[in-house]
């Protein structure tokens, strides 16, 4: 018959078991290959991307073997009002899209800053009174998330991994944005050929 072993006793007192070690995951432990994780999108949001979309997209990225060094995960994260994606050491996130595809109150600065990629994807931006309406189709929004948002966040990862300390993305938003813009045209045609758009 199996018996439970007695806890250790020191100085006449029973010692507590230490069960508080963090469970290793892609935030706390290096992964042999990047994991693609899909979280719940959150209320009012939906995932346009699937894990398969990410895997097929990274297959066409130039120098993926080099870029993936130090990358533990790509996370399809919950949607949020203030970000389309974000980066933290070893993990990049792409946020879920709003349930309504069209943006009915687009900030003009967003359109100005992203005019190239919006035109590249054929996204219609129309004025309705004082507001701008961005008329996304599902394939356009999906392509934007991959060709711009994911590339931007991978730009932050590349920034971090090419700094001396490899602790933070020292060159910031401008570097990540330029990284995405440089790679978008290179892989757009191959991406569109594969998805049949």
């Amino acid at each position: 018959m199996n018996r439970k072993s007695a806890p250790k006793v020191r100085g006449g007192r029973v010692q507590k078991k230490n069960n508080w070690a963090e469970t290793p995951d892609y935030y706390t432990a290096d992964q042999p290959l990047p994991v693609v994780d899909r979280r719940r999108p959150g209320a009012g949001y939906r995932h346009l991307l699937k894990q398969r979309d990410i895997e097929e997209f990274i297959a066409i990225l130039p120098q993926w073997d080099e870029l993936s060094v130090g990358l533990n995960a790509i996370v399809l994260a919950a949607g949020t009002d203030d970000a389309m994606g974000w980066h933290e050491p070893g993990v990049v996130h792409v946020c879920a899209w709003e349930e309504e595809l069209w943006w009915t109150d687009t900030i003009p600065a967003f359109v100005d800053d992203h005019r190239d990629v919006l035109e590249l994807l054929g996204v219609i931006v129309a004025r309705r009174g004082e507001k701008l309406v961005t008329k996304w189709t599902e394939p356009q929004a999906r392509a934007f998330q991959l060709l711009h948002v994911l590339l931007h966040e991978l730009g932050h990862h590349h920034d971090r991994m090419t700094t001396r300390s490899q602790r933070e993305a020292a060159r910031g938003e401008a570097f990540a944005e330029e990284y995405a813009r440089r790679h978008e045209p290179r892989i757009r045609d191959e991406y569109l050929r594969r998805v049949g758009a």
Side-chain angles (χ1 to χ4, degrees):
M1 182 157 90
N2 291 333
R3 295 187 151 210
K4 194 172 181 180
S5 60
K8 291 184 179 177
V9 176
R10 288 192 187 139
R13 297 184 82 136
V14 175
Q15 301 298 302
K16 292 181 182 178
K17 289 187 176 183
N18 182 3
N19 291 330
W20 294 100
E22 280 191 31
T23 302
D25 63 11
Y26 48 73
Y27 290 105
T28 59
D30 289 338
Q31 304 296 307
L33 293 171
V35 173
V36 179
D37 191 12
R38 189 170 189 237
R39 305 249 177 102
R40 291 184 183 269
Y45 294 91
R46 62 181 169 144
H47 283 301
L48 300 178
L49 298 174
K50 297 178 174 58
Q51 290 173 316
R52 181 186 72 243
D53 295 323
I54 300 292
E55 291 162 357
E56 290 173 356
F57 184 73
I58 63 178
I60 65 172
L61 287 177
Q63 301 162 338
W64 172 248
D65 290 341
E66 179 185 324
L67 181 60
S68 65
V69 171
L71 182 64
N72 294 327
I74 297 171
V75 178
L76 298 173
T80 176
D81 289 341
D82 60 352
M84 298 183 84
W86 77 93
H87 162 267
E88 51 192 285
V91 183
V92 297
H93 303 78
V94 177
C95 297
W97 200 267
E98 294 174 24
E99 282 182 349
E100 179 61 43
L101 272 175
W102 287 15
W103 296 348
T104 56
D105 193 9
T106 307
I107 299 167
F110 173 87
V111 175
D112 292 340
D113 292 346
H114 297 87
R115 189 170 307 282
D116 291 349
V117 68
L118 294 173
E119 289 176 1
L120 192 73
L121 297 174
V123 178
I124 296 171
V125 179
R127 186 166 292 284
R128 185 182 295 161
E130 295 294 314
K131 298 181 178 181
L132 292 177
V133 178
T134 309
K135 300 179 179 182
W136 300 95
T137 64
E138 196 165 308
Q140 289 169 334
R142 189 178 300 112
F144 181 78
Q145 287 190 302
L146 292 168
L147 288 167
H148 190 75
V149 178
L150 179 56
L151 284 178
H152 177 99
E153 301 310 329
L154 288 171
H156 283 303
H157 172 72
H158 179 70
D159 181 9
R160 181 177 72 88
M161 294 306 292
T162 55
T163 59
R164 185 178 296 182
S165 70
Q166 296 185 342
R167 290 190 183 143
E168 60 185 48
R171 292 168 279 193
E173 289 299 314
F175 180 89
E177 194 68 10
E178 192 277 327
Y179 183 90
R181 288 180 191 280
R182 188 173 68 242
H183 285 84
E184 283 162 8
R186 290 183 185 176
I187 59 177
R188 179 202 57 171
D189 293 339
E190 177 64 14
Y191 169 74
L192 294 177
R193 186 186 68 73
R194 287 185 181 219
V195 299

